């Protein structure tokens, strides 16, 4: 290993150590934040009732995936749109049935499966 390579590796190691220290300090900061309270000193209440209020992982995942996948629908929007999707599909079913493209079950003939 040359001196230049050694110095480059030492620089990379030092930068890694800084990142590790940054994570430790972030952890200490988040520990302090999560222990925050509201209300009076006599009757303190936790500032965050649920972990999702403190850190919403699904929201972060949705943000990352929507950045890389142009047709990605966030799960929060997907849950809200279930009723709209059902209504749309029901209307399409009625339209196809009226056009004669869907045969009612009672009028269908049994097709042998070839066994």
């Amino acid at each position: 290993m040359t001196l230049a390579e050694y110095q480059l590796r030492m620089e990379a190691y030092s930068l890694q150590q800084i990142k590790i220290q940054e994570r430790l300090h972030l952890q200490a900061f988040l520990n302090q934040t999560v222990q925050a309270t509201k209300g009076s000193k006599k009757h303190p209440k936790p500032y965050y009732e649920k972990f999702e209020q403190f850190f919403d992982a699904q929201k972060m995942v949705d943000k990352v995936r929507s950045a890389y996948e142009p047709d990605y629908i966030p799960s929060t929007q997907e849950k809200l749109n279930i009723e709209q999707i059902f209504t749309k599909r029901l209307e399409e079913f009625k339209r196809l049935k009226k056009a004669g493209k869907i045969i009612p079950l009672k009028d269908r003939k049994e097709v042998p499966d070839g066994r």
Side-chain angles (χ1 to χ4, degrees):
M1 179 183 314
T2 65
L3 185 58
E5 288 176 330
Y6 176 76
Q7 288 175 342
L8 184 63
R9 287 179 184 239
M10 287 304 296
E11 180 183 4
Y13 177 77
S14 298
L15 292 173
Q16 284 178 342
Q17 292 302 310
I18 291 172
K19 280 295 186 187
I20 290 171
Q21 288 179 4
E22 181 183 25
R23 287 188 194 127
L24 290 172
H25 284 82
L26 177 62
Q27 180 65 44
F29 176 77
L30 293 176
N31 283 339
Q32 181 184 11
T33 303
V34 81
Q35 291 176 5
T37 58
K38 58 185 176 181
S40 66
K41 287 186 178 185
K42 211 174 204 184
H43 303 288
K45 296 179 183 176
Y47 190 78
Y48 300 104
E49 297 289 329
K50 298 179 182 176
F51 179 74
E52 289 78 20
Q53 293 173 330
F54 179 68
F55 181 76
D56 191 356
Q58 188 60 47
K59 186 176 178 181
M60 302 289 280
V61 168
D62 289 341
K63 184 178 178 181
V64 169
R65 289 190 63 190
S66 62
Y68 290 99
E69 301 174 32
D71 58 344
Y72 178 72
I73 299 173
S75 61
T76 53
Q77 286 182 354
E78 193 175 272
K79 290 177 185 177
L80 298 175
N81 292 334
I82 289 175
E83 186 175 314
Q84 294 171 345
I85 291 170
F86 179 76
T87 305
K88 182 179 172 183
R89 288 182 182 172
L90 184 61
E91 289 172 4
E92 183 179 2
F93 172 77
K94 288 178 182 178
R95 181 181 55 80
L96 291 172
K97 189 173 179 183
K98 189 175 182 180
K101 295 186 178 185
I102 296 180
I103 302 170
L105 282 174
K106 63 181 179 178
D107 296 339
R108 294 184 191 177
K109 293 182 181 177
E110 291 282 329
V111 178
D113 58 357
R115 288 186 190 177

